[in-house]
Amino acid sequence: ENGRLKGFNVEVLETVAQIMNLNLRFDWGIWADIRAELEAGKIDGLTGMMYSEERSKIINFTVPFNTLSYALFTHQDSPARTVEEIGDGCIAVQQGDIAHDYLLSRGFRGTILPLATAEEALMHVALKRCDGALVGHVHGWYVLRELHIDTLVAGDNTLKLSQDCCFAVSKNNEWLRGQIDEGLRIL
């Protein structure tokens, strides 16, 4: 908004930075690219990343500050409401997102279509280019409202994909992780 990043994660981190007297600069980009930059140590951190044991081998995570649930969004005309009902169809995800990891770990037998953004994943379903999109539940509804899409529904309320959201910092930056953790405790 007006050239400034907005949103819950940004506001929480800005408050933590203020509490801890940290000087932060925010930038934005494509999720998969930014994640790769963090993993390579080219940037200091991300404003929000779902924790997983696998990811923690190459990235440091702060204490969780939120928990996010995911939902499978399908077209209202489709009978499919679960991953299993999509079968060998297509599910769109944001490339590098925990939903992508989830489908791979579950042995999903259909096509996983990784796209740059959750918005693109939902648009593919709205345009019937894919059978479903696995994205953050609240974020999905927000995107649908912003894009004025009313043809999708959130199915699969049995989905066991709810993850802690943390700030992520490069593996060797224990100092920054400690500062953010302390700021979150104070907040």
Side-chain angles (χ1 to χ4, degrees):
E1 187 175 294
N2 298 322
R4 187 170 177 268
L5 290 177
K6 300 287 286 182
F8 180 75
N9 295 5
V10 171
E11 291 177 26
V12 170
L13 190 55
E14 284 176 333
T15 303
V16 166
Q18 190 175 39
I19 289 168
M20 299 304 294
N21 198 30
L22 298 173
N23 184 17
L24 301 180
R25 183 180 59 83
F26 293 94
D27 205 351
W28 63 276
I30 301 297
W31 172 253
D33 296 342
I34 293 172
R35 179 179 168 180
E37 287 179 16
L38 178 66
E39 291 172 358
K42 294 180 181 177
I43 61 173
D44 293 319
L46 292 172
T47 57
M49 187 177 211
M50 302 305 165
Y51 174 85
S52 76
E53 192 172 321
E54 188 66 28
R55 288 176 170 185
S56 72
K57 294 174 183 173
I58 52 177
I59 296 169
N60 276 331
F61 289 91
T62 66
V63 295
F65 66 90
N66 198 1
T67 300
L68 299 179
S69 297
Y70 278 66
L72 178 69
F73 287 83
T74 57
H75 199 280
Q76 66 188 11
D77 296 340
S78 170
R81 294 292 183 262
T82 68
V83 171
E84 291 74 23
E85 289 172 345
I86 288 180
D88 61 356
C90 173
I91 297 180
V93 296
Q94 183 175 3
Q95 185 175 357
D97 187 59
I98 200 81
H100 192 178
D101 301 345
Y102 174 81
L103 289 174
L104 291 171
S105 72
R106 296 245 340 225
F108 176 66
R109 67 179 190 265
T111 301
I112 301 171
L113 180 62
L115 297 165
T117 65
E119 290 83 352
E120 286 182 58
L122 291 164
M123 286 297 299
H124 268 67
V125 178
L127 296 170
K128 297 185 177 181
R129 294 180 184 157
C130 219
D131 300 299
L134 189 55
V135 299
H137 200 159
V138 172
H139 182 66
W141 283 118
Y142 173 80
V143 168
L144 294 178
R145 188 184 76 213
E146 290 295 304
L147 297 178
H148 305 288
I149 297 172
D150 60 2
T151 56
L152 301 188
V153 295
D156 207 345
N157 54 6
T158 64
L159 195 62
K160 301 287 190 265
L161 183 54
S162 179
Q163 294 291 123
D164 285 334
C165 186
C166 308
F167 295 112
V169 298
S170 59
K171 194 64 175 172
N172 296 323
N173 203 335
E174 291 291 333
W175 179 86
L176 181 58
R177 180 175 74 166
Q179 293 294 299
I180 294 171
D181 281 346
E182 181 63 17
L184 284 168
R185 281 190 279 280
I186 293 168
L187 179 61

